[in-house]
Amino acid sequence: DGQPVWLRLLQNEDMDVMAFRAQTYKGERVLTWWEGLHTGYGQGQYVIFDSSYREIARFGAQNAYQGDHHEFLITPHDTALITIYAKVAMDLSGVGGPVDGEVLDGIVQEIDIESGEALFEWHSLDQVGLDESLYEPPPDLEAPFDYFHINSIDVYDEDHLLISARRTCAVYKVDRKTGEVVWRLGGEQSDFDMGYG
């Protein structure tokens, strides 16, 4: 009848909740979300509540990174795939930016939910060049160049992930062991011929 069943207010009005959805964890249906500060890219934690609305897990990104809100996917192995945006100092003169610029590295981490340990980490800057971006560095030196803009992650199969990037207009099949890009669909260097439109 449209009446709320459950409501959880955040203690801090400056914080946001994003990526809210029902998922499966350890064979049970759970509610999951990201909560934190949304400053163009997120800085927060990932939360799991059981079917009785009790918190059963809360964790963040590992290796001194801040977890972003774009993706929080629980895998069939009860691990979590999350996105991270990390500033990296870089010479951007080759793509029309400043020599002393900054770029955002799109990072994927796979986290063991129980231990909080990072099991896998992938960096866009290691595999996808700045020249693949369909965008140019910002004219002001205040903002880092968001050349990749990681949007989502999915499990392709046991050995591969699919990673979607808005600013390269491409989907990448990535080897979970080596981190190498197996193929690109779309974008400037697509491995597939695309039909008209």
Side-chain angles (χ1 to χ4, degrees):
D1 61 4
Q3 294 299 311
V5 174
W6 173 74
L7 173 69
R8 180 176 184 270
L9 298 175
L10 295 176
Q11 300 301 313
N12 183 340
E13 289 182 6
D14 294 332
M15 293 178 69
D16 291 314
V17 168
M18 297 184 136
F20 180 77
R21 62 179 156 182
Q23 298 195 67
T24 301
Y25 177 58
K26 294 185 175 181
E28 301 291 331
R29 295 297 282 168
V30 293
L31 295 176
T32 65
W33 65 86
W34 171 93
E35 68 181 46
L37 297 175
H38 179 249
T39 57
Y41 43 92
Q43 299 174 329
Q45 294 187 318
Y46 305 90
V47 183
I48 303 175
F49 270 41
D50 67 15
S51 60
S52 297
Y53 309 113
R54 292 179 301 232
E55 183 174 309
I56 57 173
R58 177 182 292 267
F59 59 94
Q62 298 300 302
N63 303 330
Y65 292 114
Q66 291 287 325
D68 175 69
H69 60 83
H70 278 80
E71 183 68 89
F72 173 18
L73 177 70
I74 297 177
T75 72
H77 296 290
D78 293 326
T79 62
L81 292 169
I82 63 169
T83 51
I84 298 166
Y85 285 69
K87 292 181 190 176
V88 176
M90 182 175 280
D91 178 354
L92 300 176
S93 60
V95 290
V99 173
D100 58 346
E102 284 185 321
V103 66
L104 289 178
D105 189 10
I107 302 173
V108 172
Q109 279 187 354
E110 183 172 12
I111 306 288
D112 180 286
I113 294 172
E114 281 197 359
S115 69
E117 176 188 359
L119 305 173
F120 172 79
E121 187 170 291
W122 182 86
H123 293 255
S124 64
L125 286 172
D126 293 341
Q127 300 293 328
V128 180
L130 298 180
D131 59 343
E132 289 189 49
S133 183
L134 299 177
Y135 290 75
E136 296 178 359
D140 61 29
L141 299 179
E142 300 295 318
F145 180 28
D146 186 7
Y147 91 105
F148 191 71
H149 199 96
I150 189 166
N151 261 335
S152 63
I153 314 159
D154 203 355
V155 175
Y156 182 85
D157 60 25
E158 191 74 21
D159 299 318
H160 301 93
L161 298 175
L162 289 179
I163 300 171
S164 168
R166 180 188 306 172
R167 294 211 159 175
T168 60
C169 295
V171 174
Y172 302 85
K173 181 180 178 184
V174 172
D175 187 298
R176 287 174 93 157
K177 291 183 180 70
T178 66
E180 292 181 4
V181 173
V182 177
W183 50 247
R184 290 160 167 79
L185 174 63
E188 294 290 314
Q189 298 183 19
S190 182
D191 292 302
F192 300 90
D193 291 329
M194 303 294 279
Y196 176 77

